Amino acid sequence: VDHQEADWVSIHERICQLLIPIHTSSPFFSSEKERKHGMEQLLNRQKYIIDVAQSTAQKFILGGEPGKAIPAGLQALRFSVRVHGASSVDVVPAYLLLAEACTGAGCLTQAATYLSQAQWLVLKAPSCSPAVQHKLHQDLGLLCAAQGDLEQSLYHLANDIYLATCAFGAGAIQTAGGYFHMAKIFLRQNKTDVANSLFAEV
């Protein structure tokens, strides 16, 4: 019951009506043109669900309720796999969203599982964009920090900053996140001067 309530509060209420035509059997199409149109509508509906689920999960994470983001993240992953295929790099953002939610909720083993899936897909796709890779390293850095492995966290956050700079530029807001998280690690190591210089960069 708790899981059903969490799912309803998180995402199901927002996408319930959209799921009905997806889960009902496909109608009979009298022509190839009608069939193609029907398939396009189904694909667009699934893409819309991915967008709604991802934005809902992100809202809960930014609002400090990562546990509520997990059901929405699972819907984003489920439909990303349907639309793009399980081995596509386009599924990585959904894995990263789930990993971030799980890390925030303290489910570190589950977060590590999602991140290893994302890392594997990125490794298999040499053309994967720096924007996606930067988010992967940021989430790996946050997971390592939560696990207490501060040196490994700094390694991933340094990669995060480099890749964000490649993707967006040194002065971009996306690059600031890596500096911020890195500064927090240096504070935990009592390296206040380094931390303050990174906060100033942010």
Side-chain angles (χ1 to χ4, degrees), residues 5-6 8 18 31 43 48 57 63 70 72-73 75 87 103 108-109 117 120 125 143 150-151 158 185 188 192 194 198:
E5 284 179 7
W8 182 258
L18 294 167
S31 70
L43 183 63
Y48 181 71
I70 294 172
Q75 289 289 355
S87 59
T103 300
L108 302 186
T109 304
Q117 288 284 346
W120 174 243
L143 176 63
L150 301 187
E151 290 304 320
I185 299 297
R188 286 173 65 177
T192 313
V194 181
L198 290 170

Side-chain angles (χ1 to χ4, degrees), residues 133-145:
Q133 293 182 60
H134 115 79
K135 193 73 182 90
L136 171 62
H137 280 284
Q138 186 173 97
D139 289 347
L140 285 166
L142 293 174
L143 176 63
C144 289

Side-chain angles (χ1 to χ4, degrees), residues 27-197:
F28 174 76
F29 297 113
S30 58
S31 70
E32 179 62 24
K33 185 179 178 182
E34 280 184 11
R35 190 193 69 77
K36 192 174 180 182
H37 179 67
M39 294 303 291
E40 282 175 6
Q41 280 190 317
L42 177 63
L43 183 63
N44 289 335
R45 190 173 281 116
Q46 290 175 331
K47 286 180 177 178
Y48 181 71
I49 289 173
I50 293 168
D51 290 342
V52 171
Q54 286 182 332
S55 62
T56 301
Q58 199 66 56
K59 185 187 79 172
F60 281 121
I61 291 169
L62 293 173
E65 298 180 290
K68 288 184 178 178
I70 294 172
L74 287 169
Q75 289 289 355
L77 177 61
R78 184 174 296 122
F79 282 96
S80 292
V81 168
R82 277 192 188 189
V83 170
H84 303 293
S87 59
S88 169
V89 75
D90 292 321
V91 179
V92 169
Y95 277 123
L96 297 181
L97 201 56
L98 272 168
E100 195 174 344
C102 288
T103 300
C107 308
L108 302 186
T109 304
Q110 196 60 47
T113 301
Y114 290 132
L115 283 174
S116 66
Q117 288 284 346
Q119 205 168 13
W120 174 243
L121 291 174
V122 168
L123 285 171
K124 290 197 304 180
S127 61
C128 181
S129 72
V132 171
Q133 293 182 60
H134 115 79
K135 193 73 182 90
L136 171 62
H137 280 284
Q138 186 173 97
D139 289 347
L140 285 166
L142 293 174
L143 176 63
C144 289
Q147 292 171 329
D149 189 348
L150 301 187
E151 290 304 320
Q152 193 66 18
S153 178
L154 288 172
Y155 166 78
H156 285 298
L157 292 172
N159 280 317
D160 160 26
I161 292 167
Y162 168 74
L163 290 160
T165 301
C166 291
F168 307 106
I173 192 72
Q174 292 90 337
T175 312
Y179 286 118
F180 178 77
H181 295 303
M182 194 176 259
K184 287 171 64 178
I185 299 297
F186 282 119
L187 275 182
R188 286 173 65 177
Q189 294 178 329
N190 296 317
K191 297 176 180 176
T192 313
D193 290 346
V194 181
N196 286 339
S197 71

